[in-house]
Amino acid sequence: MIRFEEVSKSYDMSRLAVDSVSLEIKRGEFLVLVGPSGCGKTTTLKMINRLIPLTKGTIWLDGKRISDYPIHELRWQIGYVLQQIALFPHMTIEENIAVVPELVGLKKKDIRARVTELLEMAGLDPDVYRKRKPHELSGGQQQRVGVVRALAADPDILLMDEPFSALDPISRLKLQEDLLDLQNRIQKTIVFVTHDLQEAFKLGDRVCIMNEGKIEQIATPQEILTKPASPFVREFTASAAARTFSIADHIEEIPADLSLSFAIPIDSEWGPLLQFLASEDQVAIKQDGQVIGMVTRKGILHFLAEQSLKGGTSNE
Ligand code: ADP
Ligand code: MG
């Protein structure tokens, strides 16, 4: 659906903010771009809806160059959600959401119905919130409005640039879960930017790890974790996880019908554990020479996802 072919961007002609990026995003896929600050995530995202022109290469949307689309058509097809939702402060929530439907010429009655539908989608009671002003909503609620406003024209694609990173951890976790629910129902193609690896692992069907304008690896969370494609990826995932990790917190009972051929000590570090889980679905854990249980790959992935509750990787 979206295809990058050798795409580069330079703002100042001296260095590349995005360097020869090639990737393909399938219809209905949830792709997360993740990497350290300044690695080119936002630039990559904004080139898709032509908020930023490319320096080199081609981006294709449904087999057509994005540069061949009339700009308005492109923008209607692509919803865009920012970190700090720019809701118009003097307009009601209904008016804020209605901006796009009005621009595309929907009738008043249809707009009202669409706003009702979108507020319900956001989990906000339309009767309560329709007439409120943005400042009468919490940060999390405003961000929900921002998400559904981006869906107002029913675009095929949703671009989201760190949409939850300004929220407190609890709201953030809730919005992540609601976004996954929403995605299950509406099956949009989502390209989501975050600097938080746990958030990336939780949300992404595939995760694209970027560094200095280049793609280091694009793969499922499981593959990234177990088969890091480069030393950078290994380091990036390990440093994110190692910070709060202790095997003891993740030990599960070994089912009676399972026999495990390897056991590692309970005080093993993250690196050796991952080495095992790269080839095995689970590994036994021993303490004082006795096997006391096992750690599973699934359990570890789950742990990584859950860490976003604790505020993510980079703000700790
Ligand atoms: P990220 O979103 O991963 O933090 P960006 O895509 O915003 O990274 O930035 C990538 C690189 O391009 C950084 O080095 C940044 O300083 C530079 N950059 C971003 N926007 C501009 C701009 N408008 N003018 C000049 N340089 C920019
Ligand atoms: Mg950015």
Side-chain angles (χ1 to χ4, degrees):
M1 155 150 236
I2 303 171
R3 188 156 65 85
F4 278 63
E5 191 180 298
E6 301 275 313
V7 172
S8 296
K9 172 67 188 179
S10 173
Y11 290 99
D12 56 10
M13 291 306 157
S14 68
R15 51 180 285 282
L16 294 171
V18 170
D19 187 353
S20 273
V21 160
S22 295
L23 66 91
E24 200 166 340
I25 304 163
K26 294 185 269 300
R27 181 171 293 278
E29 183 174 27
F30 198 137
L31 180 79
V32 181
L33 306 177
V34 66
S37 177
C39 72
K41 305 178 295 292
T42 295
T43 305
T44 302
L45 197 72
K46 284 183 169 174
M47 289 191 293
I48 298 174
N49 63 356
R50 280 171 48 195
L51 281 173
I52 293 177
L54 336 189
T55 307
K56 251 171 77 184
T58 313
I59 300 177
W60 304 84
L61 174 58
D62 290 333
K64 185 164 144 185
R65 288 183 165 81
I66 55 159
S67 53
D68 289 343
Y69 282 83
I71 189 73
H72 293 298
E73 194 186 321
L74 193 70
R75 300 272 166 85
W76 299 143
Q77 273 192 51
I78 303 178
Y80 186 51
V81 187
L82 292 154
Q83 178 179 349
Q84 301 286 1
I85 281 304
L87 294 179
F88 302 110
H90 302 299
M91 287 162 51
T92 63
I93 297 306
E94 171 155 44
E95 289 163 344
N96 266 285
I97 296 175
V99 169
V100 173
E102 273 167 11
L103 285 172
V104 294
L106 279 190
K107 294 201 200 72
K108 271 221 144 45
K109 185 167 118 288
D110 296 335
I111 292 176
R112 199 182 149 79
R114 182 74 180 140
V115 169
T116 302
E117 185 186 2
L118 289 165
L119 280 174
E120 280 168 357
M121 215 183 253
L124 298 169
D125 182 348
D127 295 335
V128 176
Y129 290 99
R130 189 189 294 278
K131 296 296 173 204
R132 288 207 183 166
K133 296 280 175 61
H135 72 88
E136 297 172 294
L137 273 62
S138 71
Q141 290 171 332
Q142 289 186 36
Q143 205 63 356
R144 286 165 196 277
V145 173
V147 173
V148 295
R149 184 176 65 172
L151 293 170
D154 202 20
D156 291 333
I157 299 168
L158 199 53
L159 306 181
M160 308 182 82
D161 195 349
E162 311 230 11
F164 307 146
S165 57
L167 301 177
D168 65 276
I170 304 289
S171 311
R172 183 155 143 213
L173 186 82
K174 187 76 177 72
L175 264 80
Q176 289 168 352
E177 271 157 19
D178 291 351
L179 179 62
L180 284 175
D181 272 359
L182 188 66
Q183 168 64 349
N184 280 334
R185 280 182 283 134
I186 62 179
Q187 297 287 311
K188 302 291 179 188
T189 305
I190 301 182
V191 189
F192 186 107
V193 163
T194 180
H195 59 264
D196 178 348
L197 187 70
Q198 276 74 41
E199 184 167 68
F201 279 179
K202 177 169 182 178
L203 296 176
D205 296 321
R206 284 190 305 156
V207 172
C208 175
I209 299 194
M210 296 185 68
N211 180 33
E212 296 182 345
K214 292 200 177 70
I215 295 181
E216 293 274 343
Q217 185 168 13
I218 175 162
T220 61
Q222 169 149 337
E223 282 175 289
I224 287 176
L225 206 55
T226 57
K227 297 187 202 103
S230 66
F232 176 84
V233 173
R234 192 184 300 276
E235 176 56 31
F236 190 69
T237 51
S239 64
R243 218 159 291 166
T244 50
F245 183 76
S246 151
I247 288 181
D249 298 334
H250 303 279
I251 295 178
E252 301 172 30
E253 200 175 324
I254 302 177
D257 58 351
L258 193 67
S259 80
L260 297 176
S261 36
F262 293 109
I264 62 171
I266 190 166
D267 55 1
S268 296
E269 290 187 0
W270 179 249
L273 178 69
L274 276 195
Q275 293 269 305
F276 272 101
L277 293 179
S279 53
E280 308 288 325
D281 289 335
Q282 58 270 312
V283 59
I285 302 300
K286 60 185 179 194
Q287 184 170 29
D288 304 327
Q290 295 281 321
V291 170
I292 57 166
M294 65 175 185
V295 169
T296 64
R297 190 193 289 158
K298 213 169 141 203
I300 297 304
L301 283 169
H302 193 76
F303 156 72
L304 284 168
E306 294 230 307
Q307 275 197 48
S308 37
L309 177 60
K310 295 170 190 149
T313 51
S314 64
N315 352 328
E316 286 180 338

